């Protein structure tokens, strides 16, 4: 389970794009708060999947489509915001003082809702847990399984935020930051469109 969870966490997707965007566009702390939001989102996914609500969502086309369209719209919205962002000033990068900023709660919400509004995460947790959990599995074991995946995501995306927000990396990317953010925005929009056409 640990291997499967790790592969799922590190595979690039909406969570990766959101953490990368906030870490580069703002600073280390917004990236880390985004990672915390993603971690909480995975904890919630794991919890309701373990108690059976996830199975209900996976079987209800109405609920699935509702979450799918809201999630797709949210990713597209964040992507459009990336396209409209102003270029980062070279001098502010060199002094390690971000030209733009975002509140802690706002960064946390971006990670949380970007993760929660992705029905693929629900299906992943259901697919994973149905393979390893039986009716007689102790509650403490179930909590350990869910907590492990959530902790993996928190650690991975926090490390990503710490890495890409390092001054020398930001300085190396400063020439491309304007276009890199637009590329990230395009990826988020494409992920949103892909999510919109996802079938159960």
């Amino acid at each position: 389970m640990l291997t499967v969870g790790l592969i799922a966490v590190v595979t690039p997707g909406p969570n990766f794009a959101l953490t990368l965007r906030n870490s580069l566009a703002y600073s280390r702390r917004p990236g880390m708060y985004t990672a915390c939001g993603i971690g909480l989102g995975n904890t919630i996914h794991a919890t309701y999947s373990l108690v059976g609500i996830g199975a209900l969502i996976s079987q209800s086309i109405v609920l699935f489509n509702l979450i799918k369209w809201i999630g797709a719209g949210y990713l597209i919205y964040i992507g459009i915001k990336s396209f409209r962002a102003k270029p980062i000033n070279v001098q502010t990068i060199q002094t390690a003082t971000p030209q733009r900023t975002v509140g802690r709660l706002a960064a946390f919400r971006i990670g949380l809702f970007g993760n929660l509004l992705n029905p693929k995460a629900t299906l992943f947790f259901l697919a994973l847990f149905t393979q390893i959990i039986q009716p007689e599995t102790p509650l403490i074991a179930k909590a350990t399984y869910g907590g492990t995946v959530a902790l993996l995501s928190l650690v991975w995306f926090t490390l990503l935020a710490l890495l890409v927000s390092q001054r020398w990396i930001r300085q190396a990317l400063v020439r491309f930051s304007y276009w890199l953010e637009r590329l990230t925005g395009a990826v988020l929009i494409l992920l949103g469109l892909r999510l919109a056409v996802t079938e159960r």
Side-chain angles (χ1 to χ4, degrees), residues 113-135:
F113 291 121
N115 181 271
L116 283 181
L117 297 176
N118 183 1
K120 287 186 176 182
T122 300
L123 299 181
F124 163 74
F125 278 100
L126 282 175
L128 178 62
F129 291 152
T130 52
Q131 298 299 316
I132 62 176
I133 292 179
Q134 304 298 324

Side-chain angles (χ1 to χ4, degrees), residues 90-193:
V90 177
Q91 184 176 1
T92 58
I93 292 291
Q94 294 174 340
T95 58
T97 303
Q99 180 183 5
R100 290 178 274 135
T101 186
V102 64
R104 297 176 181 178
L105 184 58
F108 180 84
R109 284 199 306 262
I110 289 174
L112 176 62
F113 291 121
N115 181 271
L116 283 181
L117 297 176
N118 183 1
K120 287 186 176 182
T122 300
L123 299 181
F124 163 74
F125 278 100
L126 282 175
L128 178 62
F129 291 152
T130 52
Q131 298 299 316
I132 62 176
I133 292 179
Q134 304 298 324
E136 63 274 10
T137 301
L139 179 60
I140 185 64
K142 294 180 180 180
T144 300
Y145 293 147
T148 298
V149 178
L151 181 61
L152 284 174
S153 67
L154 174 61
V155 172
W156 165 247
F157 291 113
T158 298
L159 290 175
L160 176 65
L162 289 172
L163 176 64
V164 300
S165 61
Q166 293 295 317
R167 183 187 301 184
W168 67 273
I169 293 182
R170 288 171 62 83
Q171 289 176 346
L173 294 175
V174 67
R175 294 182 180 180
F176 311 101
S177 61
Y178 182 76
W179 297 108
L180 183 61
E181 186 163 5
R182 274 144 189 76
L183 175 62
T184 305
V187 170
L188 287 169
I189 292 174
L190 289 175
L191 288 170
L193 293 173

Side-chain angles (χ1 to χ4, degrees), residues 78-94:
I78 298 297
I80 292 174
K81 285 187 66 176
S82 295
F83 269 107
R84 297 178 61 184
K86 297 179 180 179
I88 299 174
N89 187 276
V90 177
Q91 184 176 1
T92 58
I93 292 291
Q94 294 174 340

